């Protein structure tokens, strides 16, 4: 008797690089080489080393300002260090309700700062001065946590981008009302290349006070850097970092990654490539029956709607995250490591699965 044909045979092999997230990628080869090179010999711990000094210098050059930088183990830790250094327990930080600091950090910024996190609903993950307005009435009233910091994410968790002008506008509104601005820049490099702005223009000149400068999603193995754009705000940072467990003993291995990424603009080349791959994926899938891409990608993610009944089959073939399962909203993310062949294979597989009638039979 003939065995029924296994429909999965019709599928291309899944792509080598995952579209689940940019932190599913490995390490940029140049960063790996730099890590290996810095492994020779000994260096004093906790940041008293030549790579940390060089990284500080490169960051001051990149911002064209006397910024102060603090390397941390990861992004949650860096947000904790930045926020807890500028917040007191009776204060509050306002952010979009999609912000990583409120959704994806297990309450760490609230726990370490003691401050209240106020999540505000937005259409696109971006705060405007209008979002701040209702909370200003709380200022000076002893019964309410005191709004003292506005936290924005660039590029946002929704794959959107603030323009330089929009960041300036929110910073002005915050400062006018006695608040500071924190920027979660886990994907700042993607935003810089997408807008053509540099750090001085996008961050220093707009008035951002402190930021997390993301490395991991852009080719580092681990580590992120808190940058106090206003250096006078860093008075508590060393103590907060140590208490939060974010002071890296062999800190040279974070610093050397900063050096490898910033020197020669590797971080921007990596981010540009990641953004281009997201655009290619959106172009490949344009017009595919069953796939709706409402917004052209602005950075390195594609938010698409696919038939809810097909989501699991697609994920089984090549995993990615759903954003709103009931609405079929999914996120496909690219990185410095995504190749054209990955984009083509991923698009081929999606087309093939969506073109299949029923669910895919499981193999015995
Ligand atoms: C916007 C944003 N901020 C911060 C982080 C850092 O998270 P982690 O603690 O996993 O390094 C992430 C990682 O997904 C992120 O997307």
């Amino acid at each position: 008797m003939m065995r029924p044909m296994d429909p999965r045979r019709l599928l291309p092999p899944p792509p080598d690089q995952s579209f689940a997230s940019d932190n599913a990628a490995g390490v940029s080869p140049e960063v790996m080489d730099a890590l290996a090179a810095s492994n020779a010999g000994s260096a004093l711990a906790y940041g008293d080393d030549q790579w940390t000094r060089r990284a500080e210098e490169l960051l001051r050059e990149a911002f064209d300002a006397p910024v102060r930088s603090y390397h941390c183990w990861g992004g949650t830790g860096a947000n904790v260090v930045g926020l807890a250094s500028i917040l007191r327990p009776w204060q509050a930080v306002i952010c979009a309700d999609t912000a990583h600091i409120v959704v994806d950090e297990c309450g760490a910024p609230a726990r370490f700062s003691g401050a209240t996190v106020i999540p505000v609903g937005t259409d696109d993950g971006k705060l405007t001065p209008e979002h701040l307005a209702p909370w200003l009435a709380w200022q000076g009233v002893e019964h309410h946590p005191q709004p003292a910091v506005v936290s924005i994410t660039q590029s946002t968790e929704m794959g959107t981008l603030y323009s330089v002008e929009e960041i300036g506008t929110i910073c002005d509104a915050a400062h006018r009302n006695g608040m500071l601005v924190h920027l979660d820049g886990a994907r700042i490099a993607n935003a810089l290349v997408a807008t053509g702005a540099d750090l001085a223009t996008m961050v220093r000149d707009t008035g951002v006070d402190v930021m997390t400068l993301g490395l991991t999603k852009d080719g580092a193995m681990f580590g992120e850097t808190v940058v106090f754009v206003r250096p006078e705000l860093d008075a508590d940072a060393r103590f907060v970092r140590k208490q939060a467990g974010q002071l890296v003993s062999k800190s040279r291995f974070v610093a050397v990654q900063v050096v490898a990424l910033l020197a020669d603009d590797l971080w921007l080349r990596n981010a540009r490539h990641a953004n281009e791959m997201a655009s290619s994926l959106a172009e490949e899938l344009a017009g595919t029956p069953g796939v709706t891409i409402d917004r052209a990608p602005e950075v390195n993610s594609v938010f698409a709607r696919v038939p809810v009944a097909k989501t699991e089959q697609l994920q089984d073939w090549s995993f990615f995250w759903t954003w709103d399962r009931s609405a079929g909203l999914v996120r496909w993310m690219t990185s410095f490591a995504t190749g054209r062949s990955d984009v083509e294979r991923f698009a081929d597989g999606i087309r093939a699965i969506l073109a299949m009638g029923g669910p895919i039979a499981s193999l015995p």
Side-chain angles (χ1 to χ4, degrees), residues 21-23 73-77 79 99-101 104-105 153-157 184-187 212 216-217 224 331:
S21 185
D22 38 9
N23 59 5
W73 284 108
T76 299
N79 283 338
H100 204 266
I101 63 164
D104 286 312
E105 300 188 353
T153 309
Q154 174 78 322
S155 50
T156 75
E157 293 80 358
D184 178 349
R187 299 189 179 89
T212 293
T216 310
K217 292 168 170 44
E224 315 272 288
R331 185 195 71 176

Side-chain angles (χ1 to χ4, degrees), residues 65 70 76 98 108 152 173 189 194 210 218 307 321 339:
Y70 293 80
T76 299
T98 43
I152 60 175
V210 55
D218 198 28
W321 295 101

Side-chain angles (χ1 to χ4, degrees), residues 92-96 116 118-120 127 131-132 135 147 149-152 179:
V93 47
I94 301 174
C95 62
T116 303
I118 301 177
V120 175
L127 289 179
H131 290 117
L132 310 184
W135 305 99
V149 172
V150 176
S151 181
I152 60 175
M179 292 188 273

